Amino acid sequence: LASTALLLPSARCLFDQPVQVKVEGLRSRQKGVVFSSSATYRTDGSGKIDLLRDPSLSGSYFGVEPMGLLWSMKAETLHKRFQKSCALNPHVVKFSVHEEDREDRMLAEVTNERPLTGNGVSRVPVKGRNFQGVLFTPPEGPFPAVLDLCTLMSEKRASLLASRGFMVLTVPVYTDHPDNIKQMHLDHFKEAVDFLQQQPKVGSKGVGIMARSKGGDIALSLAAFVSGVKAVVSINGCNAVVSVPLYYQNHQIISPLGSDITKLITTESGASIIKYGLGDPLAEENKYSLVPTEQAKGHFLFVASEDDLNWDSKAYMDQMAERLKHHGKENFETLCYPGAGHLLEPPYGPYCPSSFHRIVHHVVLWGGEARAHAEAEVHLWSKIQEFFRTHLSCDAAQTKAKS
């Protein structure tokens, strides 16, 4: 009987969808190695392996982890991050099965193609007067509208969210080398918000914004100063404006929170912990760096990873929640993930413990433990979609009025 490797429900699926890996036709109680990351499994009495049921006995992870072969993948060299900046190219994963101690003998092989864009979703580069990005639109409509503020240009999160029924415009916070940017203008991002609201297929009365890290303080500022922002997801963001001053309508509205390069902690691997490098947002000298989130009319979902080694994200989240409570506001939710690191992404990508940080010019530790981080990504991705659907209700009549 020939050995076969199966991917259910299909060998082709969206990047953020789980697959079931099964192997059949092996000898009874035979051990095999699934290659990519690697894990050792023992077949059952029928010569089958099912990753939904069977535990990994050794390798990149242990125990029953149906998607462990994906999130535990590692690069051959240290400090490399899995990047999918353009949504046009699918993530292709090859699963192969080998007999233990016989790496040269392949028993079965199957390829999993994981596109970043769902069927019928259009991808259109757009350029405004002061912003540039990529617009993803699902077929038909109307749709809730979301602005994805990525720190540096990336299409993965936007294209996958569009594949779940949202119109998404992804815009980078840094359009030039970060060292060249001495100030940021909220007007430029407002232009992107306005552009989204004018799209004929948008059915929501306002827009949502999702952002991580530096994009978070821009998202909070848009909610505080710009009308039409109804829902903000801030992932491991700061409650103060970081690095450069923020301007709006030709006036500086928020001063930058300073940093101290001497507070970097270098580890044996060569990667640095930069968590303690930012100033204290609540210190008296930094009070003009805080974003006045109490001015916002929309809703917030604050997300923090407890093991974030880039920023003290949990403290910032708690401070944001406390500020809103102090002003009598209840328009926010908080989500905390123990064991997760800074780089929370859509699920089933390889976990990245460290890589080169293009803003601070250091290899840094991002924090997190691989399994807990992967679980957080699955939960958060579902929560983001639920939050936007709740707070960006669609009105078909409004869509018709635009067309």
Side-chain angles (χ1 to χ4, degrees):
L1 179 65
S3 302
T4 57
L6 305 172
L7 293 175
L8 302 175
S10 168
R12 190 177 191 275
C13 65
L14 274 173
F15 183 96
D16 62 353
Q17 283 183 305
V19 288
Q20 181 182 359
V21 183
K22 297 179 80 170
V23 184
E24 299 179 354
L26 300 173
R27 293 196 308 275
S28 174
R29 305 299 172 190
Q30 178 181 351
K31 281 188 179 181
V33 175
V34 181
F35 173 79
S36 196
S37 51
S38 66
T40 305
Y41 288 89
R42 181 178 285 114
T43 61
D44 63 13
S46 307
K48 296 179 181 179
I49 297 170
D50 185 345
L51 269 62
L52 277 180
R53 173 199 69 189
D54 300 325
S56 166
L57 305 176
S58 65
S60 302
Y61 59 92
F62 293 86
V64 178
E65 290 289 337
M67 297 295 283
L69 286 167
L70 292 181
W71 58 250
S72 70
M73 285 193 288
K74 289 182 181 174
E76 291 179 351
T77 53
L78 274 176
H79 313 313
K80 293 292 182 185
R81 182 177 168 190
F82 176 80
Q83 298 273 44
K84 276 284 179 188
S85 55
C86 177
L88 293 175
N89 304 317
H91 179 35
V92 179
V93 183
K94 288 187 177 178
F95 295 89
S96 58
V97 185
H98 303 256
E99 217 170 339
E100 191 179 33
D101 301 325
R102 288 288 306 274
E103 290 284 325
D104 57 330
R105 187 175 174 227
M106 188 167 69
L107 303 175
E109 185 179 40
V110 65
T111 299
N112 182 203
E113 187 177 302
R114 308 180 65 79
L116 299 175
T117 308
N119 290 336
V121 174
S122 71
R123 174 192 178 274
V124 179
V126 294
K127 189 168 175 58
R129 192 167 151 226
N130 293 298
F131 80 91
Q132 57 187 29
V134 180
L135 181 68
F136 293 93
T137 309
E140 298 178 15
F143 307 106
V146 176
L147 175 64
D148 181 6
L149 290 176
C150 46
T151 305
L152 298 160
M153 191 58 190
S154 174
E155 299 177 18
K156 180 169 77 173
R157 189 169 58 189
S159 61
L160 287 169
L161 190 64
S163 303
R164 300 296 170 204
F166 297 85
M167 178 179 281
V168 189
L169 173 64
T170 181
V171 171
V173 172
Y174 289 100
T175 53
D176 193 358
H177 194 281
D179 289 349
N180 298 334
I181 294 178
K182 306 305 179 190
Q183 58 192 40
M184 285 193 180
H185 292 267
L186 201 61
D187 315 66
H188 298 178
F189 301 102
K190 178 186 183 298
E191 188 187 332
V193 170
D194 293 342
F195 172 85
L196 254 181
Q197 287 186 299
Q198 290 158 9
Q199 297 306 300
K201 283 190 174 183
V202 168
S204 52
K205 291 188 173 71
V207 305
I209 303 177
M210 63 176 167
R212 185 185 64 220
S213 199
K214 170 59 188 169
D217 63 65
I218 300 296
L220 299 182
S221 301
L222 282 168
F225 292 97
V226 173
S227 62
V229 177
K230 299 295 183 189
V232 171
V233 177
S234 175
I235 304 165
N236 292 327
C238 188
N239 52 334
V241 166
V242 178
S243 300
V244 293
L246 186 64
Y247 282 71
Y248 187 43
Q249 298 173 343
N250 297 319
H251 293 94
Q252 182 176 314
I253 55 170
I254 304 179
S255 306
L257 182 68
S259 56
D260 185 351
I261 200 82
T262 66
K263 292 187 176 176
L264 266 62
I265 302 168
T266 304
T267 66
E268 285 183 14
S269 72
S272 299
I273 296 171
I274 63 172
K275 178 175 183 173
Y276 308 103
L278 268 187
D280 177 5
L282 298 189
E284 178 64 22
E285 67 268 20
N286 295 325
K287 64 182 178 182
Y288 297 112
S289 300
L290 292 165
V291 181
T293 45
E294 67 279 0
Q295 296 176 189
K297 300 286 192 289
H299 287 78
F300 294 103
L301 174 61
F302 299 127
V303 181
S305 297
E306 282 195 17
D307 196 34
D308 189 345
L309 294 181
N310 181 75
W311 279 352
D312 197 357
S313 298
K314 173 69 164 60
Y316 303 153
M317 180 182 79
D318 291 343
Q319 290 166 17
M320 285 188 273
E322 203 52 49
R323 182 182 183 113
L324 288 172
K325 279 187 205 166
H326 177 74
H327 285 88
K329 299 282 188 174
E330 297 179 347
N331 58 337
F332 67 93
E333 300 172 54
T334 58
L335 254 182
C336 194
Y337 291 111
H342 186 70
L343 297 178
L344 287 174
E345 295 266 7
Y348 310 128
Y351 160 70
C352 177
S354 61
S355 69
F356 184 75
H357 193 308
R358 286 187 280 174
I359 313 293
V360 301
H361 309 298
H362 280 268
V363 172
V364 304
L365 288 174
W366 298 111
E369 181 275 320
R371 184 192 304 248
H373 188 91
E375 288 174 356
E377 289 183 332
V378 173
H379 183 270
L380 176 59
W381 191 233
S382 173
K383 183 67 180 175
I384 288 171
Q385 295 169 57
E386 176 194 314
F387 177 78
F388 282 143
R389 287 200 175 94
T390 300
H391 297 292
L392 299 173
S393 56
C394 266
D395 182 353
Q398 184 182 347
T399 308
K400 284 175 188 168
K402 287 185 188 177
S403 29

